[in-house]
Coordinates of all heavy atoms in Angstrom, one line a residue:
K1 N 0.8 -1.2 0.0 CA 0.0 0.0 0.0 C 0.9 1.3 0.0 O 1.7 1.4 0.8 CB -0.9 0.0 1.2 CG -2.0 1.1 1.2 CD -2.9 1.0 2.4 CE -4.0 2.1 2.3 NZ -4.9 1.9 1.2
G2 N 0.6 2.1 -1.0 CA 1.3 3.4 -1.0 C 2.7 3.3 -1.7 O 3.4 4.3 -1.8
A3 N 3.1 2.2 -2.2 CA 4.4 2.0 -2.9 C 4.4 3.0 -4.1 O 3.5 3.0 -4.9 CB 4.6 0.6 -3.3
R4 N 5.6 3.6 -4.3 CA 5.7 4.5 -5.4 C 6.9 4.2 -6.3 O 7.3 4.9 -7.2 CB 5.8 6.0 -4.9 CG 4.6 6.4 -4.2 CD 4.6 7.9 -3.8 NE 3.4 8.3 -3.1 CZ 3.1 9.5 -2.7 NH1 4.0 10.5 -2.9 NH2 2.0 9.7 -2.1
S5 N 7.5 3.0 -6.0 CA 8.6 2.5 -6.9 C 8.7 1.0 -6.7 O 8.1 0.4 -5.8 CB 10.0 3.1 -6.4 OG 10.5 2.5 -5.3
W6 N 9.3 0.3 -7.7 CA 9.4 -1.1 -7.7 C 10.1 -1.6 -6.4 O 9.9 -2.7 -5.9 CB 10.1 -1.6 -9.0 CG 9.2 -1.5 -10.2 CD1 9.4 -0.6 -11.2 CD2 8.1 -2.3 -10.6 NE1 8.4 -0.7 -12.1 CE2 7.6 -1.8 -11.8 CE3 7.5 -3.4 -10.0 CZ2 6.5 -2.3 -12.5 CZ3 6.4 -3.9 -10.6 CH2 5.9 -3.4 -11.9
N7 N 11.1 -0.8 -6.0 CA 11.9 -1.2 -4.8 C 11.1 -1.2 -3.6 O 11.5 -1.8 -2.6 CB 13.1 -0.2 -4.7 CG 14.1 -0.3 -5.8 OD1 14.2 -1.4 -6.4 ND2 14.8 0.8 -6.1
D8 N 9.9 -0.6 -3.6 CA 9.1 -0.6 -2.4 C 8.2 -1.8 -2.3 O 7.5 -2.0 -1.3 CB 8.2 0.7 -2.4 CG 8.9 2.0 -2.3 OD1 10.0 2.0 -1.8 OD2 8.4 3.0 -2.7
L9 N 8.2 -2.7 -3.3 CA 7.3 -3.8 -3.4 C 8.0 -5.1 -2.9 O 9.2 -5.3 -3.2 CB 6.9 -4.0 -4.8 CG 6.0 -2.9 -5.5 CD1 5.7 -3.2 -6.9 CD2 4.7 -2.7 -4.7
P10 N 7.3 -6.0 -2.2 CA 7.9 -7.3 -1.9 C 8.2 -8.0 -3.2 O 7.6 -7.9 -4.2 CB 6.8 -8.0 -1.1 CG 5.9 -6.9 -0.7 CD 6.0 -5.8 -1.7
A11 N 9.2 -8.9 -3.1 CA 9.7 -9.7 -4.3 C 8.6 -10.5 -4.9 O 8.4 -10.6 -6.1 CB 10.9 -10.6 -3.9
Q12 N 7.7 -11.1 -4.1 CA 6.6 -11.9 -4.6 C 5.6 -11.1 -5.3 O 4.9 -11.6 -6.2 CB 6.0 -12.8 -3.4 CG 7.0 -13.8 -2.9 CD 7.5 -14.8 -4.0 OE1 6.8 -15.2 -4.9 NE2 8.7 -15.2 -3.8
A13 N 5.4 -9.9 -4.8 CA 4.4 -9.0 -5.5 C 4.9 -8.6 -6.9 O 4.2 -8.6 -7.8 CB 4.2 -7.7 -4.6
V14 N 6.2 -8.3 -7.0 CA 6.8 -8.0 -8.3 C 6.7 -9.3 -9.2 O 6.3 -9.1 -10.4 CB 8.3 -7.6 -8.2 CG1 8.9 -7.5 -9.5 CG2 8.4 -6.4 -7.3
K15 N 6.9 -10.4 -8.7 CA 6.8 -11.7 -9.4 C 5.4 -11.9 -9.9 O 5.1 -12.3 -11.1 CB 7.2 -12.9 -8.6 CG 7.3 -14.2 -9.3 CD 7.8 -15.3 -8.4 CE 7.8 -16.6 -9.1 NZ 8.3 -17.7 -8.2
Y16 N 4.4 -11.5 -9.1 CA 3.0 -11.6 -9.5 C 2.7 -10.7 -10.6 O 2.0 -11.1 -11.6 CB 2.1 -11.3 -8.3 CG 0.6 -11.4 -8.5 CD1 -0.1 -12.6 -8.6 CD2 -0.1 -10.2 -8.8 CE1 -1.4 -12.6 -8.8 CE2 -1.5 -10.2 -9.0 CZ -2.1 -11.5 -9.0 OH -3.5 -11.5 -9.3
V17 N 3.1 -9.5 -10.6 CA 2.9 -8.5 -11.6 C 3.5 -9.0 -12.9 O 2.9 -8.9 -14.0 CB 3.4 -7.1 -11.2 CG1 3.3 -6.1 -12.4 CG2 2.6 -6.6 -10.0
R18 N 4.7 -9.4 -12.9 CA 5.4 -9.9 -14.1 C 4.7 -11.1 -14.7 O 4.6 -11.2 -15.9 CB 6.9 -10.2 -13.8 CG 7.7 -9.1 -13.3 CD 7.7 -7.9 -14.3 NE 8.6 -6.8 -14.0 CZ 8.4 -5.6 -14.4 NH1 7.4 -5.3 -15.3 NH2 9.3 -4.6 -14.1
H19 N 4.2 -12.0 -13.8 CA 3.5 -13.1 -14.4 C 2.2 -12.8 -15.0 O 1.8 -13.3 -16.1 CB 3.3 -14.1 -13.2 CG 2.9 -15.5 -13.7 ND1 3.6 -16.2 -14.6 CD2 1.8 -16.3 -13.4 CE1 3.0 -17.4 -14.9 NE2 1.9 -17.4 -14.2
V20 N 1.5 -11.8 -14.5 CA 0.3 -11.3 -15.1 C 0.6 -10.8 -16.5 O -0.2 -11.0 -17.4 CB -0.4 -10.2 -14.2 CG1 -1.4 -9.4 -15.0 CG2 -1.0 -10.8 -13.0
E21 N 1.7 -10.0 -16.6 CA 2.0 -9.5 -17.9 C 2.2 -10.6 -18.9 O 1.7 -10.5 -20.1 CB 3.4 -8.7 -17.8 CG 3.3 -7.4 -17.1 CD 4.6 -6.7 -17.0 OE1 5.6 -7.3 -16.7 OE2 4.7 -5.4 -17.2
E22 N 2.9 -11.7 -18.5 CA 3.1 -12.8 -19.4 C 1.8 -13.5 -19.8 O 1.6 -13.8 -21.0 CB 4.0 -13.8 -18.7 CG 5.4 -13.4 -18.5 CD 6.2 -14.4 -17.7 OE1 5.6 -15.5 -17.4 OE2 7.3 -14.1 -17.2
L23 N 0.9 -13.6 -18.9 CA -0.4 -14.3 -19.1 C -1.3 -13.6 -20.1 O -2.0 -14.2 -20.9 CB -1.1 -14.6 -17.8 CG -0.4 -15.7 -16.9 CD1 -1.1 -15.7 -15.6 CD2 -0.5 -17.1 -17.6
I24 N -1.3 -12.2 -19.9 CA -2.3 -11.4 -20.7 C -1.7 -10.9 -22.0 O -2.4 -10.4 -22.9 CB -2.9 -10.3 -19.9 CG1 -1.8 -9.2 -19.6 CG2 -3.6 -10.8 -18.6 CD1 -2.3 -8.0 -18.9
G25 N -0.4 -11.0 -22.2 CA 0.2 -10.5 -23.4 C 0.3 -9.0 -23.5 O 0.2 -8.5 -24.7
A26 N 0.4 -8.3 -22.4 CA 0.5 -6.8 -22.5 C 1.3 -6.4 -21.2 O 1.2 -7.0 -20.2 CB -0.9 -6.1 -22.4

């Protein structure tokens, strides 16, 4: 909550976002 950079995010949250990108093709 309130993160304003990738560095503020937990590693698993970043992994989730990247996986979503792969799955939806955007």
Side-chain angles (χ1 to χ4, degrees):
K1 190 175 181 64
R4 297 185 182 183
S5 76
W6 289 105
N7 293 333
D8 297 335
L9 297 175
Q12 292 304 323
V14 174
K15 187 177 179 181
Y16 179 79
V17 173
R18 295 306 185 202
H19 195 53
V20 164
E21 291 180 315
E22 293 171 8
L23 290 172
I24 66 173

